[in-house]
Amino acid sequence: MAALDPRIHPFRPEIAASHLKGKVEAARFVDGTRYQVIEPATYLRREPSHEARVDTEALFGEQVTVYEISEEGWAWGQLASDGYVGWLSANALVEPGPAVTHRVRVPRTLCFASTDIKRSPLAALPMGAALRIARQDESFAVTDSGWHVPAAHLAPLAVHADDFVAIAEAFLGAPYLWGGKTSLGIDCSGLVQMALQMAGHACPRDSDMQEAALGKPAALAELRRGDLIFWKGHVAIARDAESLVHANAHAMMVAIEPAKDAIARIEAAGSGVTGVKRIG
């Protein structure tokens, strides 16, 4: 059998998705059940433990195909947005409701019970969170559950940002967090994924997947806005020929840095540039 990447194919020795029968070995094969995330963001972990490594986050409104729920309340499943597989808290999931219609387009928005913004917000949602909007109330979009969200903070699912680099720049100062995808914490490949997805581009989660799947090869000497620069285990976005924006553990935040400085610093730490990809 050809080896499949377990990060994006739901199989373990004990259990696997039915559609992988004949492609992987497992004790049993099951059909998945669709659920929807109801937390603003929830960690997807490598193992069913709060101490386990975080691989990524699932955002409010995102759908997850669940293949197993443990007695301890962990759901093992696959995210619809990028296919990533892992363990989430089952408490963060519900059966899907009506189809979502809009997505949060700013780094973070607040949801209120009414148009009165002096009342405490009910929730704070990250960029990329998906909602079903039922009606308009003054300058607020109102969800089926009655949440009032500033309409200017949302965009219909079919509307995409024009400049994905500007989306990445909107996260400037956000703390670096391995596996993070929100303004409360984000990593290098999470920043690239969020920026590209908000601009309507499909994007895998991890930097090695991104280097393999995205764009066309370009020359480092001819760097231009929107080029993706890859190192082993890291990725940055060119703002222009001389600067880049990236979430990095050196600054411990999303920062703008001269390209030549970042390249020299990362090379001194043991990794030269492995590739440059241009998004068409």
Side-chain angles (χ1 to χ4, degrees), residues 207 211 229-234 271-276:
S207 62
E211 184 172 10
I229 310 163
F230 292 93
W231 296 261
K232 182 177 175 57
H234 189 59
S271 178
V273 171
T274 58
V276 177

Side-chain angles (χ1 to χ4, degrees), residues 39-71:
E39 295 291 335
T42 188
Y43 291 135
L44 183 142
R45 298 179 183 272
R46 185 73 53 91
E47 302 291 341
S49 166
H50 290 293
E51 304 303 318
R53 169 173 154 173
V54 173
D55 280 334
T56 188
E57 289 184 287
L59 307 182
F60 186 92
E62 182 167 4
Q63 293 208 348
V64 185
T65 301
V66 172
Y67 296 96
E68 180 183 29
I69 297 179
S70 73
E71 294 181 357

